[in-house]
Coordinates of all heavy atoms in Angstrom, one line a residue:
M1 N 0.8 -1.2 0.0 CA 0.0 0.0 0.0 C 1.0 1.3 0.0 O 1.8 1.3 0.7 CB -0.9 0.0 1.2 CG -1.6 1.3 1.4 SD -2.5 1.4 2.9 CE -4.1 0.9 2.4
P2 N 0.5 2.2 -0.8 CA 1.4 3.4 -0.8 C 1.3 4.1 0.6 O 0.2 4.2 1.2 CB 0.7 4.2 -1.9 CG -0.1 3.3 -2.8 CD -0.6 2.1 -1.8
T3 N 2.4 4.8 0.9 CA 2.5 5.6 2.2 C 3.1 6.9 1.9 O 3.9 7.0 0.9 CB 3.2 4.8 3.3 OG1 4.5 4.5 2.9 CG2 2.5 3.6 3.7
R4 N 2.9 7.8 2.7 CA 3.5 9.1 2.6 C 5.0 9.0 3.0 O 5.3 8.3 4.0 CB 2.9 10.1 3.4 CG 1.5 10.4 2.8 CD 0.9 11.6 3.6 NE -0.6 11.7 3.1 CZ -0.9 12.4 1.9 NH1 0.1 13.0 1.4 NH2 -2.1 12.6 1.5
L5 N 5.9 9.7 2.3 CA 7.4 9.7 2.7 C 7.7 10.3 4.0 O 8.5 9.9 4.8 CB 8.2 10.2 1.5 CG 8.2 9.3 0.2 CD1 8.9 10.0 -0.9 CD2 8.6 7.9 0.5
S6 N 7.1 11.6 4.1 CA 7.5 12.4 5.3 C 6.3 12.5 6.2 O 5.2 12.7 5.8 CB 7.9 13.8 4.8 OG 6.8 14.4 4.3
S7 N 6.7 12.3 7.5 CA 5.6 12.4 8.6 C 6.3 12.8 9.8 O 7.4 12.4 10.1 CB 5.0 11.1 8.8 OG 4.0 11.2 9.7
P8 N 5.8 13.9 10.4 CA 4.7 14.6 10.3 C 4.8 15.6 9.0 O 6.0 15.9 8.7 CB 4.4 15.5 11.5 CG 5.8 15.6 12.0 CD 6.5 14.3 11.6
D9 N 3.7 16.0 8.5 CA 3.7 16.8 7.2 C 3.2 18.2 7.6 O 2.0 18.2 8.2 CB 2.8 16.1 6.2 CG 3.0 16.8 4.9 OD1 3.1 18.0 4.7 OD2 2.8 16.0 3.9
S10 N 3.8 19.2 7.3 CA 3.4 20.6 7.8 C 2.4 21.2 6.8 O 1.9 22.3 7.2 CB 4.5 21.4 7.9 OG 5.3 21.6 6.8
R11 N 2.1 20.6 5.6 CA 1.2 21.2 4.8 C -0.3 21.1 5.3 O -0.6 20.1 6.1 CB 1.2 20.5 3.4 CG 2.5 20.5 2.8 CD 2.5 19.7 1.4 NE 2.4 18.3 1.7 CZ 2.0 17.4 0.8 NH1 1.6 17.7 -0.3 NH2 2.0 16.1 1.1
P12 N -1.2 22.1 5.0 CA -2.5 22.1 5.5 C -3.2 20.8 5.1 O -3.0 20.3 4.0 CB -3.1 23.4 4.8 CG -1.9 24.2 4.5 CD -0.8 23.3 4.2
T13 N -4.1 20.4 6.0 CA -4.9 19.2 5.7 C -6.3 19.7 5.0 O -6.9 20.6 5.5 CB -5.3 18.4 7.0 OG1 -4.1 18.0 7.5 CG2 -6.1 17.2 6.6
L14 N -6.6 19.0 4.0 CA -8.0 19.3 3.3 C -8.8 18.1 3.3 O -8.4 17.0 3.6 CB -7.6 19.6 1.8 CG -6.6 20.6 1.4 CD1 -6.3 20.7 0.0 CD2 -6.9 22.0 2.0
T15 N -10.1 18.3 3.2 CA -11.1 17.3 3.2 C -11.6 17.0 1.8 O -12.2 17.9 1.2 CB -12.3 17.5 4.2 OG1 -11.6 17.7 5.4 CG2 -13.2 16.3 4.3
L16 N -11.6 15.8 1.4 CA -12.3 15.5 0.0 C -13.4 14.5 0.3 O -13.4 13.7 1.4 CB -11.2 14.8 -0.8 CG -9.9 15.3 -1.0 CD1 -9.0 14.4 -1.8 CD2 -10.0 16.7 -1.6
H17 N -14.3 14.4 -0.7 CA -15.4 13.6 -0.5 C -15.3 12.5 -1.7 O -15.5 12.9 -2.8 CB -16.8 14.3 -0.6 CG -16.8 15.4 0.4 ND1 -17.3 15.3 1.7 CD2 -16.6 16.8 0.2 CE1 -17.2 16.5 2.4 NE2 -16.8 17.2 1.5
F18 N -15.0 11.4 -1.3 CA -15.0 10.3 -2.3 C -16.2 9.3 -2.1 O -16.3 8.6 -1.1 CB -13.7 9.4 -2.1 CG -13.5 8.3 -3.1 CD1 -13.1 8.6 -4.5 CD2 -13.7 7.0 -2.8 CE1 -13.1 7.5 -5.3 CE2 -13.7 6.0 -3.8 CZ -13.4 6.3 -5.0
E19 N -17.2 9.4 -3.0 CA -18.3 8.7 -3.0 C -19.0 8.9 -1.6 O -19.2 10.0 -1.3 CB -18.1 7.3 -3.4 CG -17.6 7.1 -4.8 CD -17.3 5.9 -5.4 OE1 -17.1 4.9 -4.7 OE2 -17.2 5.8 -6.7
Q20 N -19.0 7.9 -0.7 CA -19.8 8.1 0.5 C -18.8 8.3 1.6 O -19.1 8.4 2.8 CB -20.7 7.0 0.9 CG -21.6 6.5 -0.2 CD -22.5 7.6 -0.6 OE1 -23.0 8.3 0.2 NE2 -22.7 7.8 -1.9
R21 N -17.4 8.5 1.3 CA -16.4 8.7 2.3 C -15.9 10.1 2.4 O -15.8 10.7 1.3 CB -15.3 7.8 2.0 CG -15.3 6.4 2.6 CD -14.0 5.6 2.1 NE -12.8 5.9 2.8 CZ -11.7 5.2 2.6 NH1 -11.7 4.3 1.6 NH2 -10.7 5.6 3.2
E22 N -15.5 10.5 3.6 CA -14.5 11.7 3.6 C -13.2 11.2 3.8 O -12.9 10.3 4.7 CB -15.0 12.5 4.9 CG -16.1 13.4 4.6 CD -16.3 14.4 5.7 OE1 -15.5 14.5 6.7 OE2 -17.3 15.3 5.7
I23 N -12.2 11.8 3.1 CA -10.9 11.5 3.2 C -10.0 12.8 3.3 O -10.5 13.8 2.9 CB -10.3 10.7 2.1 CG1 -10.3 11.4 0.7 CG2 -11.1 9.3 1.9 CD1 -9.6 10.7 -0.4
S24 N -8.9 12.6 4.0 CA -8.1 13.7 4.3 C -6.9 13.7 3.1 O -6.4 12.6 2.7 CB -7.3 13.6 5.6 OG -8.3 13.8 6.6
A25 N -6.5 14.9 2.8 CA -5.5 15.1 1.8 C -4.6 16.2 2.3 O -4.9 17.0 3.3 CB -6.0 15.3 0.4
R26 N -3.5 16.3 1.6 CA -2.5 17.5 2.1 C -2.5 18.4 0.8 O -2.6 18.1 -0.4 CB -1.1 17.0 2.3 CG -1.0 16.0 3.5 CD -1.3 16.8 4.6 NE -1.1 15.9 5.8 CZ -0.9 16.3 7.1 NH1 -1.1 17.5 7.4 NH2 -0.7 15.5 8.1
Q27 N -2.5 19.7 1.1 CA -2.5 20.7 0.0 C -1.2 20.4 -0.8 O -0.2 20.0 -0.4 CB -2.3 22.0 0.6 CG -2.4 23.2 -0.4 CD -2.4 24.6 0.5 OE1 -1.7 24.8 1.2 NE2 -3.3 25.4 0.0
G28 N -1.5 20.3 -2.2 CA -0.4 20.1 -3.1 C -0.4 18.6 -3.6 O 0.2 18.2 -4.7
D29 N -1.2 17.7 -2.9 CA -1.4 16.3 -3.4 C -2.1 16.3 -4.7 O -3.0 17.2 -5.0 CB -2.2 15.5 -2.4 CG -1.6 15.1 -1.2 OD1 -0.3 15.2 -1.1 OD2 -2.3 14.5 -0.3
S30 N -1.8 15.4 -5.5 CA -2.7 15.1 -6.6 C -3.8 14.4 -6.1 O -3.8 13.7 -5.1 CB -2.0 14.2 -7.7 OG -1.7 12.9 -7.3
V31 N -5.0 14.3 -6.8 CA -6.2 13.5 -6.4 C -5.8 12.1 -6.4 O -6.1 11.4 -5.4 CB -7.4 13.7 -7.4 CG1 -8.5 12.7 -7.1 CG2 -7.8 15.2 -7.4
A32 N -4.9 11.5 -7.2 CA -4.7 10.2 -7.3 C -3.8 9.8 -6.0 O -4.0 8.9 -5.4 CB -3.8 9.8 -8.5
S33 N -2.8 10.6 -5.7 CA -2.0 10.3 -4.6 C -2.7 10.4 -3.2 O -2.6 9.7 -2.3 CB -0.7 11.2 -4.5 OG -1.2 12.6 -4.3
A34 N -3.7 11.3 -3.2 CA -4.5 11.4 -1.9 C -5.4 10.1 -1.9 O -5.6 9.6 -0.7 CB -5.5 12.6 -2.0
L35 N -6.1 9.6 -2.9 CA -6.8 8.5 -2.8 C -6.0 7.2 -2.4 O -6.4 6.3 -1.7 CB -7.6 8.3 -4.2 CG -8.7 9.3 -4.5 CD1 -9.4 8.9 -5.8 CD2 -9.6 9.6 -3.5
L36 N -4.9 7.1 -3.1 CA -3.9 6.0 -2.8 C -3.6 6.0 -1.4 O -3.6 5.0 -0.7 CB -2.8 6.0 -3.7 CG -3.0 5.7 -5.2 CD1 -1.8 5.9 -6.0 CD2 -3.5 4.2 -5.4
A37 N -3.2 7.2 -0.8 CA -2.7 7.3 0.6 C -3.9 6.9 1.6 O -3.7 6.5 2.6 CB -2.3 8.7 0.9
A38 N -5.2 7.0 1.0 CA -6.3 6.6 1.8 C -6.7 5.3 1.6 O -7.8 4.8 2.1 CB -7.6 7.6 1.4
G39 N -5.9 4.5 0.8 CA -6.3 3.0 0.5 C -7.1 2.7 -0.5 O -7.5 1.7 -0.8
I40 N -7.4 3.8 -1.4 CA -8.4 3.5 -2.5 C -7.5 3.2 -3.7 O -6.7 4.1 -4.2 CB -9.3 4.8 -2.7 CG1 -10.1 5.0 -1.5 CG2 -10.1 4.6 -4.0 CD1 -10.7 6.4 -1.4
K41 N -7.7 2.0 -4.3 CA -6.9 1.6 -5.5 C -7.7 1.6 -6.9 O -7.1 1.6 -7.8 CB -6.4 0.3 -5.1 CG -5.4 0.2 -3.9 CD -5.0 -1.3 -3.7 CE -4.4 -1.3 -2.2 NZ -4.2 -2.8 -1.8
R42 N -9.0 1.3 -6.8 CA -9.8 1.1 -8.0 C -10.4 2.5 -8.2 O -11.2 3.0 -7.5 CB -10.7 0.0 -7.7 CG -10.1 -1.3 -7.6 CD -11.2 -2.3 -7.2 NE -10.5 -3.7 -7.2 CZ -11.1 -4.7 -7.2 NH1 -12.4 -4.8 -7.3 NH2 -10.4 -5.9 -7.1
F43 N -10.0 3.0 -9.4 CA -10.6 4.4 -9.8 C -11.6 4.3 -10.8 O -12.5 5.2 -11.0 CB -9.4 5.2 -10.3 CG -8.4 5.8 -9.2 CD1 -8.2 5.1 -8.0 CD2 -7.7 7.0 -9.4 CE1 -7.3 5.6 -7.1 CE2 -6.9 7.6 -8.5 CZ -6.7 6.8 -7.2
R44 N -11.5 3.4 -11.7 CA -12.4 3.4 -12.9 C -12.7 1.9 -13.2 O -12.0 1.0 -12.9 CB -11.9 4.2 -14.0 CG -10.7 3.5 -14.8 CD -10.3 4.3 -16.0 NE -9.3 3.7 -16.8 CZ -9.5 3.0 -17.9 NH1 -10.8 3.0 -18.3 NH2 -8.4 2.5 -18.6
T45 N -13.6 1.7 -14.2 CA -13.8 0.5 -14.8 C -13.8 0.6 -16.3 O -14.1 1.7 -16.8 CB -15.1 -0.3 -14.4 OG1 -16.2 0.6 -14.9 CG2 -15.1 -0.5 -12.9
T46 N -13.3 -0.4 -17.0 CA -13.2 -0.2 -18.5 C -14.6 -0.3 -19.1 O -15.5 -1.0 -18.6 CB -12.3 -1.4 -19.0 OG1 -12.9 -2.6 -18.8 CG2 -10.9 -1.2 -18.5
P47 N -14.7 0.3 -20.3 CA -16.0 0.5 -20.9 C -16.5 -1.0 -21.4 O -17.8 -1.2 -21.5 CB -15.8 1.4 -22.1 CG -14.7 2.2 -21.7 CD -13.8 1.3 -21.0
V48 N -15.7 -1.7 -21.9 CA -16.2 -3.0 -22.6 C -16.3 -4.2 -21.6 O -17.4 -4.8 -21.5 CB -15.1 -3.5 -23.6 CG1 -15.5 -4.9 -24.2 CG2 -15.1 -2.4 -24.7
S49 N -15.4 -4.4 -20.7 CA -15.5 -5.5 -19.7 C -15.7 -5.2 -18.2 O -15.8 -6.1 -17.4 CB -14.3 -6.5 -19.9 OG -13.0 -5.8 -19.4
A50 N -15.8 -4.0 -18.0 CA -15.9 -3.5 -16.6 C -14.7 -3.8 -15.6 O -15.0 -4.0 -14.5 CB -17.4 -3.9 -16.0
T51 N -13.6 -4.1 -16.3 CA -12.4 -4.4 -15.5 C -12.0 -3.3 -14.7 O -11.9 -2.2 -15.2 CB -11.3 -4.9 -16.4 OG1 -11.7 -6.0 -17.2 CG2 -10.0 -5.3 -15.7
P52 N -11.7 -3.5 -13.4 CA -11.2 -2.3 -12.5 C -9.9 -1.9 -12.9 O -9.1 -2.8 -13.2 CB -11.3 -2.9 -11.1 CG -11.3 -4.3 -11.2 CD -11.8 -4.7 -12.6
R53 N -9.6 -0.6 -12.8 CA -8.3 -0.1 -13.1 C -8.0 1.0 -12.1 O -8.8 1.6 -11.4 CB -8.3 0.7 -14.4 CG -8.6 -0.2 -15.6 CD -7.4 -0.9 -16.1 NE -7.6 -1.6 -17.4 CZ -7.1 -2.7 -17.6 NH1 -6.3 -3.4 -16.8 NH2 -7.2 -3.2 -18.8
G54 N -6.6 1.2 -11.8 CA -6.2 2.1 -10.9 C -4.9 2.7 -11.5 O -4.3 2.3 -12.5
P55 N -4.4 3.8 -10.8 CA -3.3 4.7 -11.3 C -2.2 3.7 -11.5 O -1.8 2.8 -10.7 CB -2.9 5.5 -10.2 CG -4.2 5.7 -9.4 CD -4.9 4.3 -9.4
Y56 N -1.3 4.0 -12.7 CA -0.2 3.0 -12.9 C 1.1 4.0 -13.1 O 2.0 3.7 -12.5 CB -0.5 2.3 -14.2 CG 0.6 1.4 -14.6 CD1 1.0 0.3 -14.0 CD2 1.5 1.7 -15.9 CE1 2.1 -0.5 -14.3 CE2 2.5 0.9 -16.2 CZ 2.8 -0.2 -15.4 OH 3.8 -0.9 -15.8
C57 N 0.9 5.0 -14.0 CA 2.2 5.8 -14.3 C 2.2 6.8 -13.4 O 3.4 7.4 -13.2 CB 2.1 6.2 -15.8 SG 0.8 7.5 -16.2
M58 N 1.2 7.5 -12.9 CA 1.3 8.7 -12.1 C 2.0 10.0 -12.8 O 2.4 10.9 -12.1 CB 2.0 8.6 -10.8 CG 1.3 7.5 -9.9 SD -0.3 8.1 -9.4 CE 0.0 9.1 -8.0
M59 N 1.9 9.9 -14.1 CA 2.6 11.1 -14.9 C 1.7 11.5 -16.2 O 2.2 12.1 -17.0 CB 4.0 10.8 -15.1 CG 4.2 9.7 -16.2 SD 6.0 9.5 -16.3 CE 6.0 8.3 -17.7
G60 N 0.4 11.1 -16.2 CA -0.4 11.5 -17.3 C -0.4 10.8 -18.5 O -0.9 11.3 -19.5
V61 N 0.2 9.5 -18.6 CA 0.4 8.7 -19.8 C -0.8 7.7 -19.9 O -1.3 7.4 -21.1 CB 1.8 8.1 -19.9 CG1 1.9 7.2 -21.1 CG2 2.8 9.3 -19.9
C62 N -1.0 6.9 -18.9 CA -1.8 5.7 -19.1 C -3.3 5.8 -19.1 O -4.0 4.9 -19.5 CB -1.4 4.7 -17.9 SG -1.9 5.0 -16.4
F63 N -3.8 6.9 -18.4 CA -5.2 7.1 -18.4 C -6.0 6.2 -17.6 O -7.2 6.1 -17.5 CB -5.9 7.3 -19.8 CG -5.4 8.7 -20.5 CD1 -4.3 8.7 -21.1 CD2 -6.4 9.7 -20.4 CE1 -3.9 10.0 -21.6 CE2 -6.1 10.9 -21.0 CZ -4.8 11.0 -21.7
D64 N -5.3 5.4 -16.8 CA -6.0 4.4 -15.8 C -6.5 5.0 -14.5 O -7.0 4.4 -13.7 CB -5.1 3.2 -15.5 CG -5.1 2.2 -16.6 OD1 -6.1 2.1 -17.4 OD2 -4.2 1.3 -16.7
C65 N -6.3 6.4 -14.4 CA -6.7 7.0 -13.2 C -7.9 7.9 -13.4 O -8.2 8.9 -12.5 CB -5.6 7.9 -12.7 SG -5.0 9.2 -13.8
L66 N -8.7 7.7 -14.5 CA -9.9 8.5 -14.7 C -10.9 8.5 -13.7 O -11.2 7.5 -13.2 CB -10.4 8.2 -16.2 CG -9.6 8.4 -17.4 CD1 -10.3 8.0 -18.6 CD2 -9.1 9.9 -17.5
L67 N -11.3 9.6 -13.3 CA -12.3 9.8 -12.3 C -13.3 10.9 -12.7 O -13.1 11.6 -13.6 CB -11.6 10.4 -11.0 CG -10.6 9.4 -10.3 CD1 -9.7 10.2 -9.4 CD2 -11.4 8.4 -9.5
V68 N -14.4 10.9 -11.9 CA -15.4 12.1 -12.1 C -15.0 13.0 -11.0 O -15.1 12.6 -9.8 CB -16.8 11.6 -12.1 CG1 -17.7 12.8 -12.1 CG2 -17.1 10.4 -13.1
V69 N -14.7 14.2 -11.2 CA -14.2 15.3 -10.2 C -15.2 16.4 -10.4 O -15.3 17.0 -11.4 CB -12.7 15.7 -10.4 CG1 -12.5 16.8 -9.4 CG2 -11.8 14.5 -10.4
D70 N -15.8 16.6 -9.3 CA -16.8 17.8 -9.2 C -17.9 17.6 -10.3 O -18.2 18.7 -10.9 CB -16.2 19.1 -9.1 CG -15.5 19.3 -7.8 OD1 -16.0 18.7 -6.8 OD2 -14.5 20.1 -7.6
G71 N -18.3 16.5 -10.6 CA -19.2 16.2 -11.7 C -18.7 16.1 -13.1 O -19.4 16.1 -14.0
V72 N -17.4 16.3 -13.2 CA -16.8 16.4 -14.6 C -16.1 15.2 -14.9 O -15.2 14.8 -14.1 CB -15.8 17.7 -14.7 CG1 -15.2 17.6 -16.1 CG2 -16.5 18.9 -14.4
P73 N -16.5 14.3 -16.0 CA -15.9 12.9 -16.1 C -14.5 13.1 -16.9 O -14.2 14.2 -17.3 CB -16.9 12.4 -17.1 CG -17.5 13.4 -17.7 CD -17.6 14.5 -16.7
N74 N -13.9 12.1 -16.9 CA -12.5 11.9 -17.7 C -11.5 12.9 -17.1 O -10.6 13.3 -17.8 CB -12.7 12.3 -19.2 CG -13.6 11.2 -19.8 OD1 -13.4 10.1 -19.6 ND2 -14.5 11.6 -20.7
Q75 N -11.4 13.0 -15.8 CA -10.3 13.8 -15.1 C -9.1 12.8 -14.8 O -9.5 11.9 -14.1 CB -10.8 14.5 -14.0 CG -12.0 15.5 -14.2 CD -11.6 16.6 -15.2 OE1 -10.7 17.3 -14.9 NE2 -12.2 16.6 -16.4
Q76 N -8.1 13.1 -15.2 CA -6.9 12.3 -14.8 C -6.5 12.6 -13.4 O -6.0 13.7 -13.1 CB -5.7 12.6 -15.7 CG -5.8 12.0 -17.1 CD -4.7 12.3 -17.9 OE1 -4.6 13.4 -18.5 NE2 -3.7 11.4 -18.1
G77 N -6.7 11.7 -12.6 CA -6.5 11.9 -11.0 C -5.0 12.3 -10.7 O -4.9 13.0 -9.8
C78 N -4.2 11.8 -11.5 CA -2.8 12.1 -11.2 C -2.3 13.4 -11.7 O -1.2 13.9 -11.3 CB -1.8 11.0 -12.0 SG -1.8 11.1 -13.7
Q79 N -3.2 14.1 -12.5 CA -2.8 15.4 -13.0 C -3.6 16.6 -12.3 O -3.5 17.8 -12.8 CB -3.1 15.4 -14.5 CG -2.2 14.4 -15.3 CD -0.7 14.7 -15.1 OE1 -0.2 15.8 -15.4 NE2 0.0 13.7 -14.6
V80 N -4.5 16.3 -11.5 CA -5.4 17.3 -10.8 C -5.0 17.4 -9.4 O -4.9 16.4 -8.7 CB -6.9 16.9 -10.9 CG1 -7.8 17.9 -10.3 CG2 -7.3 16.6 -12.5
Q81 N -4.8 18.6 -8.9 CA -4.4 18.9 -7.5 C -5.8 19.0 -6.7 O -6.7 19.4 -7.1 CB -3.7 20.2 -7.5 CG -2.2 20.1 -7.6 CD -1.4 21.2 -7.0 OE1 -2.0 22.1 -6.4 NE2 -0.2 21.2 -7.4
V82 N -5.7 18.5 -5.5 CA -6.8 18.5 -4.5 C -7.1 19.9 -4.2 O -6.3 20.8 -4.3 CB -6.5 17.7 -3.3 CG1 -6.3 16.3 -3.6 CG2 -5.2 18.2 -2.5
R83 N -8.5 20.0 -3.9 CA -9.1 21.4 -3.4 C -10.0 21.0 -2.3 O -10.6 19.9 -2.3 CB -9.9 22.1 -4.6 CG -9.0 22.7 -5.6 CD -9.9 23.5 -6.5 NE -11.1 22.8 -6.9 CZ -11.2 22.0 -7.9 NH1 -10.2 21.6 -8.7 NH2 -12.4 21.4 -8.3
D84 N -10.0 21.8 -1.3 CA -10.8 21.5 -0.1 C -12.3 21.3 -0.6 O -12.8 22.1 -1.4 CB -10.7 22.6 0.9 CG -11.2 22.1 2.3 OD1 -11.0 20.9 2.6 OD2 -11.8 22.9 3.0
G85 N -13.0 20.2 -0.2 CA -14.3 20.1 -0.4 C -14.6 19.3 -1.9 O -15.9 19.2 -2.2
M86 N -13.5 18.9 -2.6 CA -13.8 18.4 -3.8 C -14.6 17.1 -3.7 O -14.4 16.3 -2.7 CB -12.3 18.1 -4.3 CG -12.2 17.7 -5.6 SD -10.4 17.4 -6.0 CE -10.2 18.7 -7.1
R87 N -15.4 16.9 -4.7 CA -16.2 15.6 -4.7 C -15.7 14.7 -5.9 O -15.6 15.2 -7.0 CB -17.7 15.9 -4.9 CG -18.3 16.8 -3.8 CD -19.8 16.7 -3.6 NE -20.2 17.5 -2.3 CZ -20.3 16.8 -1.3 NH1 -20.0 15.5 -1.2 NH2 -20.5 17.3 -0.1
I88 N -15.4 13.6 -5.5 CA -14.7 12.7 -6.5 C -15.6 11.3 -6.4 O -15.9 10.7 -5.4 CB -13.4 12.3 -5.9 CG1 -12.5 13.7 -5.8 CG2 -12.6 11.4 -6.9 CD1 -11.3 13.5 -5.0
E89 N -15.7 10.8 -7.7 CA -16.3 9.5 -7.9 C -15.6 8.6 -8.8 O -14.8 9.2 -9.6 CB -17.8 9.7 -8.4 CG -18.7 10.6 -7.6 CD -20.0 10.9 -8.5 OE1 -20.6 10.1 -9.0 OE2 -20.2 12.2 -8.5
R90 N -15.8 7.3 -8.7 CA -15.2 6.4 -9.7 C -15.7 6.6 -11.1 O -17.0 6.9 -11.1 CB -15.4 5.0 -9.4 CG -14.6 4.5 -8.2 CD -14.7 3.0 -7.9 NE -13.8 2.6 -6.8 CZ -14.0 2.6 -5.6 NH1 -15.3 2.9 -5.1 NH2 -13.2 2.2 -4.7
Q91 N -15.2 6.4 -12.2 CA -15.7 6.5 -13.4 C -16.0 5.1 -13.9 O -15.1 4.2 -14.0 CB -14.8 7.2 -14.4 CG -15.4 7.4 -15.7 CD -14.7 8.4 -16.7 OE1 -14.5 9.5 -16.2 NE2 -14.3 8.1 -17.8
L92 N -17.3 4.8 -14.0 CA -17.6 3.4 -14.4 C -18.1 3.3 -15.7 O -19.0 4.0 -16.2 CB -18.8 3.0 -13.4 CG -18.5 3.1 -11.9 CD1 -19.8 2.8 -11.1 CD2 -17.3 2.3 -11.5
G93 N -17.2 2.5 -16.6 CA -17.4 2.5 -18.0 C -17.1 3.8 -18.7 O -16.4 4.6 -18.2
A94 N -17.8 3.9 -19.9 CA -17.5 5.2 -20.8 C -18.2 6.3 -20.2 O -19.4 6.2 -19.7 CB -18.0 4.9 -22.2
A95 N -17.6 7.5 -20.3 CA -18.2 8.6 -19.7 C -19.2 9.2 -20.7 O -18.9 9.0 -21.9 CB -17.1 9.7 -19.3
E96 N -20.2 9.9 -20.2 CA -21.1 10.7 -21.0 C -20.5 11.9 -21.4 O -19.9 12.6 -20.5 CB -22.4 11.0 -20.5 CG -23.3 9.8 -20.1 CD -24.1 9.3 -21.3 OE1 -24.5 10.3 -21.9 OE2 -24.3 8.2 -21.4
I97 N -20.4 12.2 -22.7 CA -19.8 13.4 -23.2 C -20.9 14.3 -23.8 O -21.6 13.8 -24.8 CB -18.7 13.2 -24.2 CG1 -17.6 12.1 -23.7 CG2 -18.0 14.5 -24.7 CD1 -16.5 12.8 -22.7
T98 N -21.1 15.4 -23.3 CA -22.1 16.2 -24.0 C -21.4 17.5 -24.8 O -20.5 17.9 -24.3 CB -23.2 16.8 -22.9 OG1 -22.3 17.5 -21.9 CG2 -24.0 15.7 -22.3
P99 N -21.9 17.7 -25.9 CA -21.3 18.7 -26.7 C -21.4 20.1 -26.1 O -22.2 20.4 -25.3 CB -21.9 18.6 -28.0 CG -23.1 17.8 -27.9 CD -23.0 17.1 -26.7
Ligands
FES1 S1 -1.9 7.3 -13.5 FE1 -1.3 7.1 -15.6 S2 -2.4 8.9 -16.5 FE2 -2.8 9.1 -14.3

């Protein structure tokens, strides 16, 4: 399980809402690192077989970290910084895209 390298951490603590859970994050975390530190490993399911996926590269290449962030689908968790009060959900299957 991923763990934080430095402890104690002097950065401010933020609260995120992941589905029905509240989780703590540190200012400057990516959404993916905050979820992984909270023990959440499954971020999305594939559109065809519903296979669970979680972050792999942590640098914006693999797209296995797609989430719905504040109601917006297809957000790369490893590329989005946390904000206090952010609402995050798993992305299940293909996202609805409206023009
Ligand atoms: S973990 Fe690979 S794009 Fe985010």
Side-chain angles (χ1 to χ4, degrees):
M1 170 186 268
T3 57
R4 295 184 182 278
L5 293 176
S6 61
S7 184
D9 191 330
S10 62
R11 296 177 293 163
T13 300
L14 309 176
T15 301
L16 312 178
H17 305 279
F18 179 75
E19 299 180 341
Q20 307 305 317
R21 272 176 76 175
E22 277 192 1
I23 66 169
S24 294
R26 298 292 185 172
Q27 190 171 43
D29 281 351
S30 69
V31 171
S33 62
L35 296 184
L36 288 170
I40 298 162
K41 299 177 196 165
R42 296 177 178 195
F43 283 30
R44 71 177 185 101
T45 59
T46 59
V48 174
S49 64
T51 303
R53 298 283 191 211
Y56 181 69
C57 71
M58 296 296 280
M59 60 182 195
V61 176
C62 73
F63 287 79
D64 276 339
C65 61
L66 293 180
L67 294 159
V68 179
V69 177
D70 290 332
V72 180
N74 293 322
Q75 301 299 299
Q76 288 177 280
C78 69
Q79 300 297 300
V80 176
Q81 277 197 2
V82 294
R83 293 185 310 277
D84 197 37
M86 188 178 248
R87 298 199 172 274
I88 305 160
E89 301 165 53
R90 287 185 174 93
Q91 183 163 309
L92 305 177
E96 292 277 327
I97 307 278
T98 53

